[in-house]
Amino acid sequence: MSVVNLRGVTKRYRDTLAVDDVSFDLHENRIHGLLGRNGAGKSTVMRMLTGQEIPTSGQVRVFGENPYENAAVLPRVCFIKESQRYPDIFLARHALEAAAMVFPNWDQDFADRLVEEFRLPVKRRVRKLSRGQLSSVGVIIGLAARAPVTLFDEPYLGLDAVARQAFYDHLIADYGRYPRTIVLSTHLIDEVADIIEDVTVIDRGRIVMDDSSENLRSQAVTVSGPTNAVEQFADGHDVLHREDLGGFTRVVVSGIPADRDTASLQVEPVSLQQLVVRTTQFHDAALAGAGNGKGDRS
């Protein structure tokens, strides 16, 4: 069952088209990856989901309702973003106390354990926290709130590798005990590849991939070998990326060709990060070709 629905959503800021006719669903009790480059439209989508922005056109529904200024929806949605702003007079503990008042499922014992693990100085003013400590405030709130829909817009980028791994470990463990819909928007795709169950990729405000992680990984391969053999293998399929060296070729192919001879080829799975990167580049090339009046997408 889907808990979030976007249908034909477009968002313009004067002459800037930030989101262009986007439609997708977020399903109940799943961990979603909302991926894409800087400026692709990810944060704009999340602001519309949390009622902070109104779409120029199209429909946004969270739990079947419009989230904008909706008191029945917003306490069930937690949005944590990088460089989250808090009042300057707040101590770190005040941010946690405010979250406890907002989110009905708040778990204070869990929050206290996270404060200890992330070594958060709760009596320090927020404006004097380091970037990593400020990130810790956000991830603690996002985890301890246990909101039915929780969105993390890269708040963990300020954490070091050890702290990020602690965040992922707690996320997985707590999600197992208290399932909810979680969205991770990140550039660190390799780090979350084994966590996310569904993948939505936005590029230039448009959806270029939207499927389960398992399905996406099964739909592409990397093929290496003699150029003629590789070209025969990939014939009729989208080549997302190609590298040539003398008579040797390496390609990333979308849509695994069936019943093709692989005797002289090396066929390997594609990592989720490589798939996202190569698909985005392919999408860019297709748009550039269309802009130049060229129809060839390969």
Side-chain angles (χ1 to χ4, degrees), residues 136-210:
S136 295
V137 173
V139 300
I140 291 169
I141 291 173
L143 291 169
R146 292 197 178 125
V149 173
T150 302
L151 304 99
F152 291 100
D153 188 7
E154 303 196 285
Y156 32 81
L157 288 184
L159 302 176
D160 59 34
V162 174
R164 286 201 309 275
Q165 188 59 56
F167 165 67
Y168 300 139
D169 290 344
H170 281 296
L171 177 70
I172 295 169
D174 202 62
Y175 170 76
R177 290 190 294 267
Y178 301 94
R180 62 261 204 198
T181 301
I182 295 173
V183 179
L184 298 175
S185 174
T186 183
H187 293 99
L188 305 174
I189 300 173
D190 277 343
E191 288 193 1
V192 302
D194 293 332
I195 300 175
I196 54 180
E197 300 168 282
D198 296 307
V199 177
T200 302
V201 179
I202 301 180
D203 187 50
R204 301 191 186 192
R206 294 185 178 183
I207 302 295
V208 297
M209 298 171 68
D210 184 31

Side-chain angles (χ1 to χ4, degrees), residues 40 75 133 197 224 226 234 269 295:
Q133 291 166 341
E197 300 168 282
S224 306

Side-chain angles (χ1 to χ4, degrees), residues 34-222:
L34 184 61
L35 311 176
R37 295 178 291 187
N38 287 335
K42 305 185 304 297
S43 296
T44 301
V45 166
M46 286 188 280
R47 287 196 298 270
M48 288 189 286
L49 293 182
T50 52
Q52 299 176 52
E53 299 272 6
I54 302 175
T56 304
S57 61
Q59 177 176 284
V60 176
R61 292 293 180 265
V62 180
F63 305 115
E65 300 184 41
N66 185 339
Y68 185 70
E69 294 185 346
N70 190 330
V73 171
L74 296 182
R76 302 166 69 190
V77 179
C78 181
F79 179 36
I80 304 296
K81 61 183 179 180
E82 185 186 13
S83 302
Q84 188 92 18
R85 295 295 301 271
Y86 303 97
D88 286 344
I89 62 171
F90 265 28
L91 304 179
R93 67 177 178 83
H94 292 149
L96 303 179
E97 290 167 358
M101 291 186 287
V102 170
F103 298 108
N105 296 334
W106 181 264
D107 187 326
Q108 187 61 51
D109 289 339
F110 187 30
D112 291 340
R113 294 198 305 273
L114 293 171
V115 165
E116 288 296 321
E117 179 156 355
F118 287 101
R119 302 177 183 178
L120 178 66
V122 293
K123 295 182 180 180
R124 185 175 300 173
R125 290 195 184 277
V126 169
R127 60 186 174 85
K128 293 189 175 181
L129 294 178
S130 68
R131 186 187 180 198
Q133 291 166 341
L134 188 60
S135 295
S136 295
V137 173
V139 300
I140 291 169
I141 291 173
L143 291 169
R146 292 197 178 125
V149 173
T150 302
L151 304 99
F152 291 100
D153 188 7
E154 303 196 285
Y156 32 81
L157 288 184
L159 302 176
D160 59 34
V162 174
R164 286 201 309 275
Q165 188 59 56
F167 165 67
Y168 300 139
D169 290 344
H170 281 296
L171 177 70
I172 295 169
D174 202 62
Y175 170 76
R177 290 190 294 267
Y178 301 94
R180 62 261 204 198
T181 301
I182 295 173
V183 179
L184 298 175
S185 174
T186 183
H187 293 99
L188 305 174
I189 300 173
D190 277 343
E191 288 193 1
V192 302
D194 293 332
I195 300 175
I196 54 180
E197 300 168 282
D198 296 307
V199 177
T200 302
V201 179
I202 301 180
D203 187 50
R204 301 191 186 192
R206 294 185 178 183
I207 302 295
V208 297
M209 298 171 68
D210 184 31
D211 205 341
S212 72
S213 178
E214 182 180 0
N215 285 345
L216 289 173
R217 293 184 192 192
S218 69
Q219 293 171 6
V221 290
T222 299

